[in-house]
Amino acid sequence: MHDVPDHAESPQASSGADDAVRPSTSRRPVEAVLFDFHGTLAQVEEPREWVQAAAAACGVELDRVRATALADRLLTAGRAGGPLPARVPPRLAELWADRDLYPHAHRGAYTGLAETVDAGIEGFADALYERVLIPDGWVPYPDTEAVLTTLRAAGVKVAVVSNIGFDLRPLFAAWKLDGLIDAYALSYEVGRCKPDPGIFWRACGMLGVDPERALMVGDTPADAGAVQAGCTVLVLPCADAGSPNGLGAVLDLALRPDA
C-alpha cells in the first residue's frame, strides 16, 4: 500500500471538486508481532539426522543409506513438523483431526503414522516423536534471535501463535529466547486452530493490543487467516533448517517510521 501525501491546492488554482483537501494517511503503527512457530521461527531437524537420532535412542546405529531410505518413507507417512501424510489410515482419522487440540491426539496421530513404516526397531515410533518435543529436534532460523531481540528493544510486543499439540515454552527457554516472548497462543491451550480468527484475537488479548495494530508472520495460508481477525499479515517462503527464510523483513514492516 502506498501512502498518500499531504496535498492541498490553493483556491486560486482550483475549483469545484479540486477544492477538496486530500487528507494525509499514515501507516498504522505496529504494536505487536504474532509469530507462527514451525516454518517461521524454527524448522525441524534434517530428516536423516532425525531418523538416526531416534534410532540411536533405541540402541540402534543406522548407516547413511538406510537412514535416508527410512526418512523418505517416514516423510511420506507424515512427520510432526514435516509434510502432511500422503494418506491417513481410517483408524487414525479421529486422532489426526484433533491433533492440534489435544496432546494425546498429537502424539497418537504421529506415532501411529510412523508405525505404518516397518523399521524393525523396537520403540522407534515413540523415539521419533520424542525428537519433536526437545530443543535438539529443532533448528531456529538464522535471523530468529536477532529479530526478536530488535523487536524487544523497540518495545514491540511478541506472541507465538501455533497450531500445536505440545508446549513450546521449554524449547524457547532452552534456546534462551523465552525472555523475548510475551505470550503464547497455542492451539491445544486456546481450543482454536488457525485460520480461526479466535486464536489471533486471543493472542492480541494476551498482549493487550488491538488486532489492527498487530502483524502476523507465518508461512502458510492458515497464518494468513489473521486477516479475518483484523491483523496485517506477512507470509514468508518455506526454507530448510538453517537456511535464511526472510524473517528480517519483519523489521522493515514493524519498525518503519510513520509517514
Side-chain angles (χ1 to χ4, degrees):
M1 180 178 69
H2 298 287
D3 294 325
V4 180
D6 289 336
H7 178 74
E9 296 180 329
S10 66
Q12 292 82 4
S14 62
S15 62
D18 289 337
D19 289 341
V21 176
R22 296 167 59 191
S24 172
T25 59
S26 61
R27 301 180 178 99
R28 294 173 300 182
V30 173
E31 297 178 0
V33 179
L34 316 179
F35 286 101
D36 169 53
F37 175 63
H38 168 242
T40 301
L41 294 178
Q43 183 60 275
V44 285
E45 63 188 324
E46 190 274 329
R48 188 182 68 251
E49 294 176 0
W50 167 57
V51 168
Q52 289 177 315
C58 298
V60 176
E61 183 176 348
L62 294 179
D63 61 42
R64 183 185 183 93
V65 173
R66 186 182 176 195
T68 300
L70 267 178
D72 288 343
R73 293 167 62 196
L74 287 162
L75 289 177
T76 300
R79 174 191 184 183
L84 294 176
R87 172 181 175 273
V88 176
R91 65 181 177 82
L92 298 176
E94 186 174 351
L95 290 174
W96 178 256
D98 290 342
R99 69 192 184 282
D100 291 329
L101 293 174
Y102 306 103
H104 78 274
H106 196 272
R107 175 183 284 273
Y110 284 109
T111 55
L113 291 171
E115 287 169 352
T116 65
V117 176
D118 184 9
I121 302 173
E122 186 176 354
F124 190 49
D126 284 317
L128 287 167
Y129 184 78
E130 289 297 324
R131 294 295 299 176
V132 82
L133 303 180
I134 63 175
D136 287 347
W138 294 86
V139 181
Y141 281 110
D143 292 339
T144 294
E145 182 175 4
V147 167
L148 294 178
T149 298
T150 301
L151 291 174
R152 173 52 58 101
V156 177
K157 297 178 181 180
V158 169
V160 174
V161 183
S162 178
N163 286 354
I164 200 78
F166 61 90
D167 192 2
L168 295 175
R169 296 172 184 86
L171 303 185
F172 283 88
W175 297 330
K176 301 187 185 307
L177 299 177
D178 53 324
L180 303 176
I181 308 297
D182 298 293
Y184 296 83
L186 310 181
S187 60
Y188 83 98
E189 294 180 336
V190 174
R192 300 286 183 90
C193 294
K194 298 177 291 186
D196 186 325
I199 192 169
F200 305 110
W201 288 328
R202 179 68 65 85
C204 290
M206 290 175 173
L207 299 176
V209 171
D210 188 300
E212 292 189 353
R213 298 189 183 279
L215 170 67
M216 175 66 204
V217 183
D219 68 317
T220 69
D223 298 311
V227 169
Q228 300 301 317
C231 304
T232 301
V233 173
L234 171 65
V235 177
L236 300 173
C238 180
D240 293 334
S243 300
N245 66 337
L247 196 59
V250 172
L251 301 180
D252 295 332
L253 292 173
L255 304 183
R256 62 188 179 183
D258 288 345

